[in-house]
Amino acid sequence: MRNLRVFVASLATETNTFSPIRIDRSAFEDAFYAPPGSHPETPTLCSAAFVAARRQARLHGFTLIEGTASWAEPAGLVARSAYEGLRDEILYQLRDAMPVNVALFGLHGAMVAEGYDDCEGDLLARARAIVGPDAVIGIELDPHCHLTQAMTDASTVLVTFKEVPHSDFLERAEDLVALALSAARGDVRPHVTVLDCRSIANFLTSRSPGRELVDDILSMEGKNGVLSISIVHGFPAADVADVGTKVVVITDDAREKGRALAAELCTRIRAFGANRMPYMPGPEEAIDLALATKGGPVVLADRWDNPGGGVAGDSTFLLRALLERPEIAAAVGAIWDPVAVTFCLAAGSGARLSLRFGGKAAPSSGAPVDAGVEVMAVTPDHVVPFQDSRVSLGAAAAVRIGRLDVVLASKRAQTFHPEVFESLGIRLSEKKIVVVKSASHFHTAFAPIASEIIYVNCGGPYPPDPARIPYRRIRRPILPLEAAEPVWMT
Ligand SMILES: [Zn+2]
């Protein structure tokens, strides 16, 4: 173990190919960019392998060589130069680190760049060519990835987060590092089975039937030769060939057992149906439902304007519905509007001004709001917790319109935590309705303060229904577009 050489790097974003927001290298550098040796002690969603590998290196004394880690907030297509530049930076570091026994990559798995529908498959194939056939390549993926043949072929072991929302990214990184190290030591001979379910699943693990599925998987791992099980949900907001749900079972050299288990899990997931999301009311109905609820704040999740899914996070549909009901004590956040934030910072805390905000990225964001506001608070950098990580919303402001408080942010990020409001002086306990821009990651931190959580369908801009997405390049047949049978990838 002491003479093992382990390399770790991370390159991640999630590309919504339907989003109008293009990203270049500055989007990575602004969101998260840690050159070798500068990764913080806290993990980020896709770079937890750094933290897990450091811990194992301290325990066992192997040599850990750190490469670059970078993440861009999900958006539209990545510029070719941005992807190639970051890829080549990491591959140069890997070449420089040779010989290595283990190469670990924290990826998301759904990055699409100009000219590259499968960035991770491209990166991993090049990494395999450098490390050779005998080194272990271990990858951590978000379950909202496109698990492609190229990614599967180039990697030795792969682990996805199990939880949606992804509360377990550090635990899964620990699993990955432990598995990759045991494979490198020869303690296990990982056999990876991947079954393409030929379906687009859409389910949460915070409620049935996803909850039971994850609990069962966790109870199967580490027993009877089953080393690891991952469920790739897939990321439907991308028009690429490999969209879809896949089951990954890694056994200790037990191919048939892995196949049987993968087939069983695939059948179970396909039986969930195409869309296991709860019924989602529109804005007015959601507000009525919230008012009919007893007790404290009701959280309305603006599920389809979630910056984490690559869209802007500046839609105004719920905001406008609340402005029509000025008697309701409410808070909305965070609306992405760097221009409005600049105006608020210049005016300063306590200022009153006429402000235009929200509704700017695309027609699907709705119209901007014009209102007389009081600036409650401003900050040059609004940093909030997300699990074990910290996320910056950039410069931000809280503004008040009667009983409605709104957080405006200059960086796109999900409303992960009540601190998005509270640290700017908005007391959520005094609100009846709290609107968050997030599909599911808000859940862990907001559930303890919410009397009820309602997922709201404002119609977009993220495409809410796979059956209505105008796909042109996705491989067919696939459920729910038409009948389709599962296909073995390994
Ligand atoms: Zn995800």
Side-chain angles (χ1 to χ4, degrees):
M1 189 79 156
R2 296 194 73 83
N3 48 21
L4 283 186
R5 290 173 58 80
V6 179
F7 175 81
V8 61
S10 172
L11 179 56
T13 190
E14 180 184 63
T15 304
N16 176 340
T17 64
F18 304 99
S19 171
I21 305 165
R22 295 293 191 106
I23 56 177
D24 59 7
R25 183 167 177 122
S26 69
F28 286 88
E29 292 182 352
D30 288 350
F32 178 67
Y33 176 72
S38 66
H39 192 287
E41 278 304 318
T42 50
T44 72
L45 183 71
C46 293
S47 70
F50 278 71
V51 175
R54 281 178 186 171
R55 198 175 72 80
Q56 290 290 332
R58 280 195 293 269
L59 277 176
H60 301 291
F62 59 77
T63 303
L64 179 65
I65 305 121
E66 297 187 3
T68 291
S70 193
W71 153 270
E73 185 65 20
L77 208 57
V78 177
R80 176 190 284 268
S81 59
Y83 167 62
E84 290 179 345
L86 288 163
R87 174 197 71 190
D88 293 347
E89 180 175 322
I90 288 170
L91 293 175
Y92 175 83
Q93 293 157 353
L94 176 59
R95 225 173 266 120
D96 208 39
M98 287 298 290
V100 303
N101 309 91
V102 177
L104 301 167
F105 292 93
L107 306 171
H108 180 291
M111 187 192 297
V112 183
E114 291 164 329
Y116 298 91
D117 278 4
D118 176 14
C119 292
E120 292 82 1
D122 174 66
L123 170 70
L124 293 169
R126 290 168 191 268
R128 175 58 78 192
I130 293 169
V131 299
D134 298 330
V136 172
I137 293 185
I139 61 178
E140 187 177 26
L141 297 165
D142 185 293
H144 303 113
C145 65
H146 316 299
L147 181 58
T148 67
Q149 196 69 52
M151 289 159 71
T152 307
D153 290 349
S155 58
T156 316
V157 287
L158 67 100
V159 170
T160 72
F161 319 142
K162 290 182 169 61
E163 303 289 348
V164 180
H166 309 321
S167 50
D168 62 334
F169 57 89
L170 182 55
E171 288 161 87
R172 299 292 82 82
E174 300 276 4
D175 291 352
L176 174 74
V177 175
L179 183 54
L181 290 173
S182 3
R185 286 193 306 258
D187 296 346
V188 293
R189 291 170 53 90
H191 185 276
V192 181
T193 294
V194 184
L195 181 55
D196 179 345
C197 299
R198 299 312 304 149
S199 70
I200 304 171
N202 203 353
F203 58 92
L204 297 172
T205 62
S206 52
R207 52 180 84 193
S208 189
R211 186 65 256 150
E212 292 84 351
L213 177 72
V214 172
D215 288 341
D216 289 351
I217 286 171
L218 284 166
S219 74
M220 289 177 210
E221 285 180 331
K223 288 180 208 141
N224 306 317
V226 177
L227 300 174
S228 170
I229 302 170
S230 292
I231 308 296
V232 171
H233 294 222
F235 181 61
D239 192 12
V240 294
D242 295 292
V243 170
T245 304
K246 284 131 199 175
V247 174
V248 181
V249 178
I250 306 180
T251 59
D252 191 2
D253 204 19
R255 180 178 184 271
E256 292 314 313
K257 179 181 284 181
R259 284 208 156 204
L261 186 50
E264 185 188 316
L265 291 169
C266 177
T267 303
R268 184 165 164 185
I269 293 163
R270 282 167 57 104
F272 288 178
N275 200 341
R276 287 302 300 228
M277 300 310 296
Y279 167 71
M280 286 183 269
E284 285 79 15
E285 189 189 348
I287 291 168
D288 289 338
L289 287 170
L291 294 181
T293 304
K294 287 199 175 62
V298 175
V299 172
L300 303 185
D302 192 352
R303 187 173 166 81
W304 306 121
D305 190 31
N306 163 30
V311 297
D314 75 338
S315 93
T316 54
F317 301 106
L318 265 164
L319 194 56
R320 287 182 166 281
L322 284 167
L323 285 167
E324 297 287 319
R325 311 279 291 270
E327 73 281 8
I328 303 172
V332 177
I335 303 269
W336 179 53
D337 194 331
V339 173
V341 170
T342 306
F343 292 176
C344 291
L345 255 75
S349 184
R352 290 174 188 277
L353 68 157
S354 296
L355 189 68
R356 169 168 287 197
F357 59 95
K360 299 200 178 103
S364 52
S365 296
V369 168
D370 288 288
V373 306
E374 179 190 348
V375 180
M376 297 169 62
V378 292
T379 173
D381 192 13
H382 194 22
V383 178
V384 300
F386 169 48
Q387 309 288 351
D388 301 308
S389 180
R390 309 279 294 166
V391 174
S392 170
L393 284 80
V399 298
R400 176 164 286 170
I401 308 153
R403 305 189 73 191
L404 175 67
D405 295 342
V406 181
V407 174
L408 303 168
S410 56
K411 278 192 187 176
R412 292 186 314 113
Q414 297 188 56
T415 313
F416 287 116
H417 196 279
E419 283 293 305
V420 169
F421 301 96
E422 301 272 356
S423 70
L424 294 175
I426 299 171
R427 289 208 186 85
L428 297 186
S429 58
E430 295 170 4
K431 301 297 185 187
K432 183 62 193 175
I433 290 178
V434 178
V435 173
V436 298
K437 296 283 187 186
S438 179
S440 58
H441 286 140
F442 71 97
H443 195 279
T444 312
F446 279 89
I449 64 137
S451 61
E452 180 77 47
I453 288 171
I454 299 173
Y455 295 91
V456 187
N457 183 359
C458 298
Y462 186 101
D465 179 3
R468 291 169 188 269
I469 297 176
Y471 290 119
R472 291 186 303 120
R473 301 161 75 185
I474 187 172
R475 189 175 303 123
R476 308 286 285 265
I478 189 165
L479 287 168
L481 306 184
E482 59 262 319
E485 290 306 310
V487 175
W488 295 105
M489 287 174 65
T490 59

